[in-house]
Amino acid sequence: MTGTGLAPKKMMREMTALDPFRIFQNRMSRFFDEDFPFAIPEETLSLKTWMPSCDIYETENEIVVKAELPGAKKEDVKVNIENNILTLSGERKFEEETRKENYVRVERKYGEFLRSFTLPMTVDANKVVADFKDGLLTITLPKKEEAKPKPIEITVK
């Protein structure tokens, strides 16, 4: 017996240890990468597109969206609300003062980005405030007055 019968089990253990979403994402990136199969997809992807990380939380009076945009400039970022969809878009440009040929590895993502979030009907789109400081975009979405919780007094009869 050569031990090859155990190879499929070992392969399955290795596959389940990996994140299935990440495997699917990598395969889809490779499939749609215009340079494939002659380029390493994760390396070429870093100069084409990226997606900023976002935190979203809700308070009694508002919904807050925080997006990490390190290296992006305020003028390269757009915030839009249309049909109850909040859209963050823009571009983080590659630093041109250093030539690409001098880089050994580029891991930070550059290029255009787009994130969209469906907002609840309780958001007052006319009072939205966006603040950009130190690479962090904070969007405050106030709730409509009728959507805010109201205490109800209990009477005893």
Side-chain angles (χ1 to χ4, degrees), residues 3 9 27 37 40 42 51 63 69 74-75 81 83 86 97 108-109 112 114 119 130 132 136 141-142 147 153:
K9 289 182 182 178
R27 287 183 180 166
I40 301 170
E42 291 186 10
M51 190 179 333
I63 296 172
L69 300 168
K74 177 187 167 220
E75 55 270 11
I81 296 178
N83 297 325
L86 172 68
E97 57 271 359
R108 294 188 300 155
K109 308 292 185 192
E112 295 179 357
L114 177 72
L119 299 175
F132 190 71
L136 185 66
L141 305 144
E153 186 177 328

Side-chain angles (χ1 to χ4, degrees), residues 69-89:
L69 300 168
K73 296 180 182 172
K74 177 187 167 220
E75 55 270 11
D76 294 331
V77 177
K78 295 178 186 75
V79 178
N80 188 33
I81 296 178
E82 187 176 341
N83 297 325
N84 260 27
I85 296 176
L86 172 68
T87 303
L88 315 177
S89 62

Side-chain angles (χ1 to χ4, degrees), residues 3-65:
T4 56
L6 298 177
K9 289 182 182 178
K10 180 181 178 189
M11 186 175 72
M12 287 303 292
R13 275 197 311 270
E14 290 172 357
M15 285 178 60
T16 56
L18 299 173
D19 179 14
F21 178 75
R22 182 74 177 151
I23 293 168
F24 176 75
Q25 185 179 26
N26 286 342
R27 287 183 180 166
M28 291 304 290
S29 293
R30 274 187 269 145
F31 179 76
F32 288 107
D33 191 351
E34 62 199 21
D35 298 327
F36 184 77
F38 305 105
I40 301 170
E42 291 186 10
E43 307 246 342
T44 58
L45 186 64
S46 65
L47 295 174
K48 292 181 183 176
T49 184
W50 64 287
M51 190 179 333
S53 299
C54 294
D55 291 340
I56 302 173
Y57 62 90
E58 183 175 4
T59 68
E60 190 174 302
N61 298 316
E62 61 200 11
I63 296 172
V64 179
V65 178

Side-chain angles (χ1 to χ4, degrees), residues 118-137:
T118 302
L119 299 175
M121 298 301 286
T122 58
V123 169
D124 188 349
N126 296 321
K127 296 181 181 177
V128 174
V129 177
D131 184 40
F132 190 71
K133 183 179 179 187
D134 298 330
L136 185 66
L137 175 65

Side-chain angles (χ1 to χ4, degrees), residues 58-61 143-152:
E58 183 175 4
T59 68
E60 190 174 302
N61 298 316
K143 293 179 182 177
K144 295 176 184 173
E145 283 302 317
E146 61 267 17
K148 294 180 184 177
K150 294 176 184 72
I152 298 172

